[in-house]
């Protein structure tokens, strides 16, 4: 697989990574496929998808434990990205950016992951009670201590600011400017996909101009862009899509034309090519600093998704994607 080099620390990773969240968290059936998930991680590594994206919060903790089983045997093949700063409470998640907590969280992640070093340590969400420079400073000390190689900021929670319409990433950009004064940001993780292209506006250019890598979360639109979901199929209550406005039966039906477009493009590239691969190839093409991290717990998905690194979209394909209807269903 093609390799990409990201961030000030010149981190080298396979062009397509593996999002490990669905193996333990937020998707139907997450907890029932532990053994298959382990095989999925091996399959991804075998195909050059070196970047494994997790967080202490996924599970909570069980996703890191699962990855630890693989890393124990294959640490040299993998690039480990994990996150700190969010705790799972009774009703909702709570941010904790206190320096002492961050250092303890790192030690705990290292133990669960069965490794001495985390390649990319990300702040999952800034704590409104703690100046972000203080949290980032503690994370920088972890780099100094050799526990972490590089730092990243996860901006997926930026959805909360979307209510104002424009300026989805304005708060993230302010945070990035602040933490850059303390220690270099090597990567930003945020949503980017055919049906959620907002990061192309300001966030992606910000990263590109500063040599910061961009990890594209949810590049498959939480599975929708793969064309394997049926409008009205329903989701278990603990599946994030059960409350997602784009996953009501009505919105899934309304957004089928997006999947149909990806399917048409895939068909032009051959019988074996899938809408998921077209969606990933589009994300890959947004810049040399972009690394999609499609989530998957099934081995066949990880193999299929890694195969997208070989797909080259034509000008005609790109024009068709640009003319697809805007996705219906918003958080407003
Ligand atoms: N979602 C968030 O809020 C969030 C936040 C921060 C970071 N991230 C990171 O971003 C990663 C990716 O986001 P995501 O996992 O939420 O969404 P995603 O990558 O857009 O979609 C994942 C879903 O797509 C399905 N899938 C994957 N490949 C497929 C294929 N080729 N054909 C059919 N279905 C396929 C998976 O099914 P199976 O599960 O059945 O394999 C899973 O349900 C996460 O794993 C995590 O590391 C996500």
């Amino acid at each position: 697989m093609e390799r990409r080099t990201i961030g000030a620390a010149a981190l080298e990773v396979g062009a397509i990574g593996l999002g490990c969240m669905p193996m333990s968290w937020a998707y139907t059936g997450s907890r029932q496929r532990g053994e298959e998930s382990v095989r999925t991680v091996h399959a991804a590594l075998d195909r050059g998808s070196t970047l494994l994206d997790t967080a202490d919060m996924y599970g909570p903790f069980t996703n890191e434990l699962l990855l630890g089983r693989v890393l124990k045997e294959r640490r040299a093949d993998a690039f480990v990205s994990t996150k700190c700063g969010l705790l799972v409470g009774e009703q909702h998640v709570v941010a904790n950016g206190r320096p002492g907590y961050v250092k303890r969280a790192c030690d705990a992640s290292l133990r669960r992951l069965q490794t001495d070093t985390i390649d990319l340590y990300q702040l999952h969400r800034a704590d409104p009670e703690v100046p972000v420079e203080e949290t980032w400073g503690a994370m920088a000390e972890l780099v100094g201590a050799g526990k972490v190689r590089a730092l990243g900021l996860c901006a997926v929670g930026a959805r909360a600011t979307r209510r104002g319409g424009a300026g989805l990433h304005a708060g993230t950009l302010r945070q990035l400017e602040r933490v850059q004064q303390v220690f270099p940001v090597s990567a930003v993780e945020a949503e980017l996909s055919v049906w959620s292209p907002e990061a192309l506006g300001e966030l992606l250019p910000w990263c590109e101009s500063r040599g910061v890598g961009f990890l594209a979360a949810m590049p498959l639109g939480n599975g929708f862009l793969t064309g394997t979901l049926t409008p009205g199929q329903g989701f278990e209550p603990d599946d994030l899509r059960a409350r997602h406005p784009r996953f009501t039966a009505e919105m899934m039906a309304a957004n089928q034309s997006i999947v149909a477009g990806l399917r048409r493009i895939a068909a032009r590239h051959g019988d074996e090519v899938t809408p998921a691969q077209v969606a990933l190839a589009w994300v890959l093409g947004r810049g040399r600093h972009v690394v999609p991290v499609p989530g998957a717990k099934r081995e066949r998905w990880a193999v299929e998704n890694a195969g997208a690194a070989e797909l080259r979209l034509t000008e005609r394909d790109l024009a068709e994607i640009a003319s697809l209807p805007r996705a219906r269903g918003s958080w407003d």
Side-chain angles (χ1 to χ4, degrees):
M1 183 184 291
E2 174 202 332
R3 313 270 291 178
R4 293 198 162 182
T5 306
I6 53 172
L11 311 168
E12 209 191 291
V13 295
I16 293 183
L18 177 67
C20 299
M21 188 178 83
M23 300 175 185
S24 321
W25 179 253
Y27 286 95
T28 299
S30 286
R31 290 168 190 84
Q32 289 117 48
R33 290 178 174 263
E35 293 313 309
E36 179 168 10
S37 294
V38 169
R39 287 198 298 280
T40 301
V41 180
H42 279 290
L45 293 176
D46 290 343
R47 280 154 187 85
S49 287
T50 58
L51 195 161
L52 307 177
D53 187 55
T54 181
D56 57 2
M57 193 195 92
Y58 300 162
F61 312 125
T62 50
N63 199 231
E64 287 188 336
L65 286 168
L66 189 145
L67 283 191
R69 288 172 57 189
V70 179
L71 293 173
K72 193 176 170 189
E73 297 166 21
R74 299 190 65 173
R75 182 65 185 91
D77 297 336
F79 179 98
V80 181
S81 155
T82 193
K83 314 181 188 80
C84 67
L86 273 185
L87 301 164
V88 180
E90 286 290 310
Q91 303 289 334
H92 42 72
V93 294
V94 194
N96 187 341
R98 289 192 292 277
Y101 167 75
V102 164
K103 290 182 179 171
R104 286 195 302 280
C106 178
D107 286 337
S109 285
L110 287 168
R111 272 195 303 279
R112 285 188 292 270
L113 291 163
Q114 304 202 43
T115 185
D116 299 331
T117 327
I118 292 162
D119 296 301
L120 179 68
Y121 202 39
Q122 298 196 58
L123 179 57
H124 212 155
R125 191 174 304 164
D127 182 342
E129 306 293 324
V130 180
V132 70
E133 291 85 351
E134 278 182 30
T135 310
W136 201 255
M139 293 170 70
E141 284 177 32
L142 295 168
V143 180
K147 297 180 179 185
V148 166
R149 284 176 64 205
L151 301 186
L153 191 85
C154 181
V156 175
R159 193 177 69 209
T161 63
R162 192 178 295 180
R163 291 204 167 78
L168 167 64
H169 293 115
T172 302
L173 291 170
R174 279 194 297 275
Q175 265 172 19
L176 284 166
E177 294 289 357
R178 285 171 63 185
V179 298
Q180 276 283 59
Q181 306 297 318
V182 179
F183 192 86
V185 180
S186 283
V188 173
E189 180 163 342
E191 181 172 13
L192 176 65
S193 69
V194 166
W195 79 346
S196 293
E198 292 82 357
L200 298 181
E202 289 179 294
L203 196 52
L204 216 67
W206 187 94
C207 291
E208 187 167 24
S209 66
R210 287 155 181 85
V212 171
F214 185 93
L215 309 193
M218 297 175 256
L220 298 171
N222 305 105
F224 182 79
L225 301 173
T226 68
T228 57
L229 303 179
T230 316
Q233 69 173 69
F235 298 98
E236 310 242 324
D238 63 348
D239 190 312
L240 67 82
R241 294 168 294 192
R243 295 174 305 283
H244 194 306
R246 288 189 182 168
F247 286 88
T248 62
E250 186 194 354
M251 290 307 151
M252 284 177 80
N255 288 322
Q256 282 304 314
S257 52
I258 299 174
V259 176
L262 297 177
R263 216 186 280 288
R264 260 193 321 273
I265 295 166
R268 279 206 297 272
H269 286 269
D271 292 344
E272 302 291 310
V273 177
T274 65
Q277 290 177 321
V278 174
L280 292 175
W282 179 85
V283 173
L284 264 184
R286 296 316 91 213
R288 294 278 315 157
H289 61 310
V290 178
V291 178
V293 286
K297 57 182 161 288
R298 292 168 217 246
E299 196 175 346
R300 60 186 276 229
W301 296 154
V303 172
E304 181 180 315
N305 296 345
E310 307 303 319
L311 180 61
R312 296 284 169 269
L313 297 180
T314 64
E315 290 300 321
R316 180 183 170 195
D317 300 334
L318 294 172
E320 276 185 35
I321 291 173
S323 67
L324 288 173
R326 281 174 66 107
R328 301 263 318 274
S330 82
W331 293 96
D332 291 343

